Amino acid sequence: MNELSKINAEHLRRCAIVYVRQSSSTQVEHNRESTARQYALAERAARLGWRRDQVKVIDEDLGISGSGLSERTGFARMTAEVGLGQVGIVLGLEVSRLARNHADWYRLLDLCGLTHTLIGDGDGIYHPGLFNDRLVLGLKGTMSEAELHVLRARLLGGIRNKAARGELHRGLPVGLVRGDADGEVLLHPDESVQAAIHAVFDRFAEFGSARRVWLWLRSQGLRFPLQSNSFVDLRWVAPTYTKIHQVLTNPFYAGVYVYGRTQQTCYLDASGRIRKRIRQRDREQWPVFIRDHHAGYIDWNTFAANQKRLAQNIRPRPHQSGGAVREGAALLQGLAVCGHCGRRLAVHDSGRFSAPGYHCAGKNIVNGRGEYCLNIGGVQIDAAVAETFLSALAPAGLKASLQAIEQFDADHETTLAQFRRDVERARYNAQRAERRYRAVDPENRLVARGLEAEWESALLELKTAESELSDREHARPRSLTHEERDAILALGKDLKRIWFAPTTSDRDRKELLRTLLDDVTLRVERDKYNAHLTLRWRGGLFSDVNVPLPRSHPSPIRTADDTIDLLRRLAAHYPDTKIAGILNRQGRTNGHRTVVHGKSCVEPADALGDPVLRAETASAGRRVHDDRESCTRSRDRTLYFASLPQRWLHCRRADHSWRAVAHPYQ
């Protein structure tokens, strides 16, 4: 059938759509001839019989892939107009321009077949409602999708094959550069860059936290190198937490070549659209892993230990111990584990002095009864763990003291060395700017003015760097005297003085504990008034410690139960003054061993030592006195009360609980 015979008057009354698309922004920028050919399809629509005002060009999807993983607003608008029966023909340079996936392609074919919309490409015009035309369009769509698969397989195959040899050139992190040989990676030749990277790893070994390394660099005023594709020269900027974390987590710094640390996966969102996301792969799933590929700043074992430490700094998941060291007096924060259910213990403060404590809400989670699986104060627990820890650490005390002496001077020298390198780099830049200025023709003022400004800027940077170095050198800490060194060595023999020193913070104590302890399991035996601790040391050894718990004692001040029962019986028959006389004649006393009399001084709740009744009397607006001290100092050492107008009496039972009974003459 002639392709022109497929076009009828109904098609010409509708509009014609020219769909223009390129798969990436790079193709839009460089493959301009293909884009021009697609725009020229508007002239073909005019030759087929459509007026120029009826031709619509949809080019919203330039730079967007047609694989179905990206949202194409232009394709969606075109599909909507086809479904409304407003389109007579859809023109594309080839089928792959319209769609490269079956979902979009066959949905467009179904709509075109229902609304009698034609589809045209460089080979001809097709009617999706006709069997033969639909068969051809289906084959073209399948071949278009297969072509995408073949192209991707070829490209990825070559990339993976080259990566398996360690020769695939990808962006290197700052501090590493490419060599002349294929796949060769070298340390950055700039000594100041190497020193900055080394400082990050050295400080992390000391602090154990990426954030604390970042804060230390900021407090010292040190700058960090920045290398990007946008700038040819290396720049020195203020360090950021993100950059420090990237340095600590990049395996290239450990001399390892890796490929495939991330994986792209597809999923359906809430609206049913196909989306893609990037997921981090586990170490065992990396396709390419080549150790000792190049010289690194640290070895692989150190890198693996750093990753483990970083993983422990994040908030632990349920049933896992760990977490970053934080403020607070609880030494076992992040280390304490419940010995009853195995969950990680939470930390709380209680009392006027905010004493630390540990609790586990395991029963509350399981039974929903608002109960704690374990709830115990932390003062005695922490003291027992600290005692055991210091006993185990005693042999290493002298060595730690010697390291502290060496670290005292090394910290400041590290900072000064970096500032000296900054001055050296600024001096070189100033000299280079001077040579460039002197090499230019003085008559060419257009160039000379620019080079002169560059020279002045370099001289200003040199002056600033020298000023900062001078300030740092004048702020050099005083060297330790022989007496101070001997005092530090003496402290190594008595670690308890260091542990309990005011200058040792809670964070420092927790850091020390984590160097040797993995976790501490607590099991409370209330019936035995004992807490059993199991300390798991690094290396697999265990230590058991028993901590005696304080015993609870009942209050010694208590009114006799028979006196309370007698008062309850008398209240049903006699007024208050008669009750007082009866109690006095029988020699009845309250918990303070004092007697009662019939004149007004205090309420009977005070006389009988009843705190609950005294509280209710006060809440009811009654006048409550506490003249016990002044009254007992009188000659007869008696307490007085006048009336018993309370409408409720609290009577103590044999199990020490209280109940209220109504007054009979209310």
Side-chain angles (χ1 to χ4, degrees):
M1 181 182 294
N2 188 6
E3 62 179 16
L4 296 178
S5 62
K6 299 177 183 178
I7 304 174
N8 54 37
E10 179 64 23
H11 294 139
L12 295 176
R13 280 196 296 269
R14 305 176 187 176
C15 68
I17 290 183
V18 176
Y19 184 73
V20 179
R21 186 186 66 83
Q22 291 279 31
S23 298
S24 63
S25 57
T26 304
Q27 294 182 3
V28 175
E29 182 180 359
H30 299 287
N31 300 349
R32 299 183 180 181
E33 194 65 29
S34 176
T35 306
R37 291 179 58 197
Q38 294 184 61
Y39 278 110
L41 292 176
E43 299 294 335
R44 182 186 177 189
R47 291 195 301 269
L48 292 176
W50 276 269
R51 302 190 308 273
R52 295 188 180 275
D53 59 337
Q54 291 181 299
V55 180
K56 296 182 179 180
V57 178
I58 297 180
D59 55 1
E60 303 172 13
D61 298 337
L62 280 173
I64 300 178
S65 173
S67 60
L69 298 178
S70 303
E71 183 177 356
R72 295 186 292 166
T73 58
F75 183 83
R77 183 161 68 91
M78 179 187 67
T79 304
E81 293 189 13
V82 170
L84 294 175
Q86 300 176 357
V87 181
I89 188 172
V90 176
L91 293 175
L93 187 62
E94 55 188 18
V95 172
S96 61
R97 297 299 94 193
L98 296 175
R100 280 192 180 272
N101 65 92
H102 279 108
D104 292 344
W105 178 241
Y106 279 101
R107 183 167 67 250
L108 178 62
L109 291 185
D110 292 338
L111 291 176
C112 290
L114 292 175
T115 58
H116 302 285
T117 302
L118 303 177
I119 296 179
D121 62 2
D123 296 331
I125 297 176
Y126 310 93
H127 192 309
L130 301 178
F131 175 78
N132 291 334
D133 289 359
R134 184 180 178 88
L135 179 62
V136 174
L137 291 174
L139 289 175
K140 285 194 171 186
T142 302
M143 293 176 61
S144 176
E145 188 173 13
E147 179 187 10
L148 182 64
H149 171 75
V150 172
L151 291 176
R152 184 183 291 114
R154 289 176 180 174
L155 292 175
L156 292 180
I159 290 175
R160 291 169 181 169
N161 189 50
K162 196 170 185 179
R165 302 193 305 269
E167 299 177 358
L168 180 64
H169 283 198
R170 291 295 180 97
L172 291 175
V174 63
L176 297 174
V177 295
R178 293 286 178 186
D180 296 333
D182 291 340
E184 185 180 10
V185 179
L186 305 174
L187 299 181
H188 201 285
D190 193 336
E191 183 181 354
S192 59
V193 175
Q194 296 186 24
I197 303 299
H198 279 299
V200 172
F201 290 108
D202 294 341
R203 291 303 163 183
F204 183 79
E206 178 183 353
F207 298 140
S209 170
R211 182 176 181 273
R212 294 186 66 184
V213 173
W214 168 62
L215 292 177
W216 181 84
L217 292 174
R218 298 295 295 263
S219 65
Q220 297 297 322
L222 298 177
R223 293 184 295 175
F224 199 77
L226 177 63
Q227 182 176 345
S228 62
N229 297 329
S230 304
F231 300 92
V232 178
D233 296 334
L234 197 69
R235 295 187 301 158
W236 290 84
V237 297
T240 62
Y241 171 79
T242 303
K243 180 57 64 176
I244 300 303
H245 191 272
Q246 289 176 354
V247 171
L248 292 172
T249 56
N250 197 322
F252 274 85
Y253 290 108
V256 178
Y257 182 91
V258 297
Y259 173 80
R261 288 188 294 165
T262 60
Q263 181 181 15
Q264 178 177 302
T265 59
C266 300
Y267 69 99
L268 293 176
D269 61 6
S271 60
R273 298 179 182 273
I274 300 178
R275 303 293 186 185
K276 58 182 178 180
R277 57 188 171 193
I278 304 298
R279 288 186 176 275
Q280 295 286 338
R281 285 175 170 171
D282 295 335
R283 157 68 188 87
E284 296 76 12
Q285 297 178 350
W286 292 352
V288 178
F289 178 83
I290 305 176
R291 292 184 59 173
D292 300 328
H293 175 266
H294 55 272
Y297 290 88
I298 56 176
D299 56 17
W300 173 251
N301 294 331
T302 303
F303 177 81
N306 291 346
Q307 304 316 299
K308 184 178 180 180
R309 185 63 183 273
L310 288 172
Q312 292 176 350
N313 289 342
I314 63 176
R315 183 176 179 84
R317 297 180 178 179
H319 306 284
Q320 291 183 354
S321 61
V325 173
R326 304 186 184 279
E327 293 75 10
L331 292 181
L332 303 184
Q333 169 252 326
L335 297 179
V337 178
C338 179
H340 302 279
C341 64
R343 289 182 173 85
R344 184 174 60 92
L345 295 184
V347 179
H348 65 268
D349 296 329
S350 60
R352 296 176 55 187
F353 302 100
S354 299
Y358 306 97
H359 67 271
C360 173
K363 286 188 177 180
N364 187 26
I365 297 174
V366 177
N367 301 329
R369 298 177 180 175
E371 302 173 352
Y372 280 143
C373 179
L374 182 149
N375 189 0
I376 188 173
V379 177
Q380 293 176 310
I381 302 298
D382 291 348
V385 173
E387 183 69 24
T388 306
F389 175 78
L390 293 176
S391 300
L393 194 62
L398 186 60
K399 182 179 179 181
S401 301
L402 295 175
Q403 291 180 351
I405 295 175
E406 297 173 358
Q407 191 68 26
F408 182 81
D409 296 328
D411 290 345
H412 190 71
E413 287 299 328
T414 301
T415 304
L416 281 182
Q418 188 65 26
F419 278 100
R420 292 191 183 101
R421 296 187 190 96
D422 292 342
V423 172
E424 185 177 355
R425 182 174 57 255
R427 184 177 292 111
Y428 166 75
N429 292 335
Q431 294 173 355
R432 184 181 61 176
E434 181 183 4
R435 290 194 299 268
R436 295 179 61 186
Y437 173 75
R438 297 187 182 282
V440 73
D441 186 3
E443 301 296 334
N444 191 354
R445 297 304 303 167
L446 294 177
V447 178
R449 280 195 298 267
L451 295 178
E452 183 180 4
E454 182 180 349
W455 185 17
E456 291 179 355
S457 177
L459 290 175
L460 181 60
E461 291 181 1
L462 174 60
K463 183 178 179 180
T464 303
E466 290 176 344
S467 176
E468 291 180 354
L469 176 61
S470 177
D471 294 340
R472 293 285 176 172
E473 289 178 343
H474 284 87
R476 177 191 295 272
R478 179 179 57 86
S479 300
L480 295 177
T481 63
H482 293 289
E483 292 78 7
E484 291 173 337
R485 290 175 179 267
D486 295 339
I488 293 179
L489 291 176
L491 287 176
K493 302 176 183 179
D494 188 5
L495 293 177
K496 288 186 178 180
R497 292 177 57 189
I498 302 177
W499 181 268
F500 295 106
T503 55
T504 305
S505 64
D506 293 329
R507 180 187 288 271
D508 296 333
R509 297 186 183 97
K510 295 178 186 179
E511 289 281 1
L512 288 173
L513 281 178
R514 296 188 179 213
T515 56
L516 296 182
L517 284 177
D518 280 334
D519 56 58
V520 178
T521 304
L522 277 72
R523 185 176 184 86
V524 178
E525 301 169 343
R526 291 293 180 185
D527 54 342
K528 300 180 181 179
Y529 295 96
N530 180 70
H532 184 75
L533 311 181
T534 302
L535 283 66
R536 185 163 66 93
W537 304 89
R538 294 187 182 274
L541 298 179
F542 292 86
S543 297
D544 293 330
V545 180
N546 290 313
V547 181
L549 300 180
R551 297 175 179 267
S552 59
H553 300 281
S555 176
I557 302 177
R558 176 183 173 189
T559 303
D561 292 339
D562 56 348
T563 303
I564 297 296
D565 294 337
L566 177 59
L567 177 62
R568 179 167 58 88
R569 293 195 303 270
L570 293 176
H573 304 285
Y574 301 102
D576 300 342
T577 54
K578 291 233 178 184
I579 295 175
I582 294 172
L583 295 177
N584 290 334
R585 284 195 298 272
Q586 294 184 5
R588 301 277 183 174
T589 61
N590 59 9
H592 295 274
R593 302 304 179 188
T594 55
V595 298
V596 295
H597 197 270
K599 294 184 180 180
S600 176
C601 178
V602 296
E603 297 292 347
D606 290 329
L608 295 177
D610 188 346
V612 180
L613 183 57
R614 181 166 60 248
E616 286 201 358
T617 306
S619 63
R622 296 294 308 278
R623 182 169 57 91
V624 179
H625 305 275
D626 194 5
D627 300 332
R628 182 180 299 115
E629 182 178 358
S630 61
C631 293
T632 53
R633 288 179 181 177
S634 62
R635 184 171 55 187
D636 54 0
R637 301 184 61 83
T638 60
L639 289 175
Y640 303 92
F641 68 94
S643 61
L644 187 61
Q646 287 87 354
R647 295 180 179 272
W648 299 91
L649 288 177
H650 284 71
C651 299
R652 197 192 311 265
R653 293 176 177 172
D655 58 354
H656 309 296
S657 62
W658 291 85
R659 67 184 181 89
V661 296
H663 199 282
Y665 52 92
Q666 54 182 329

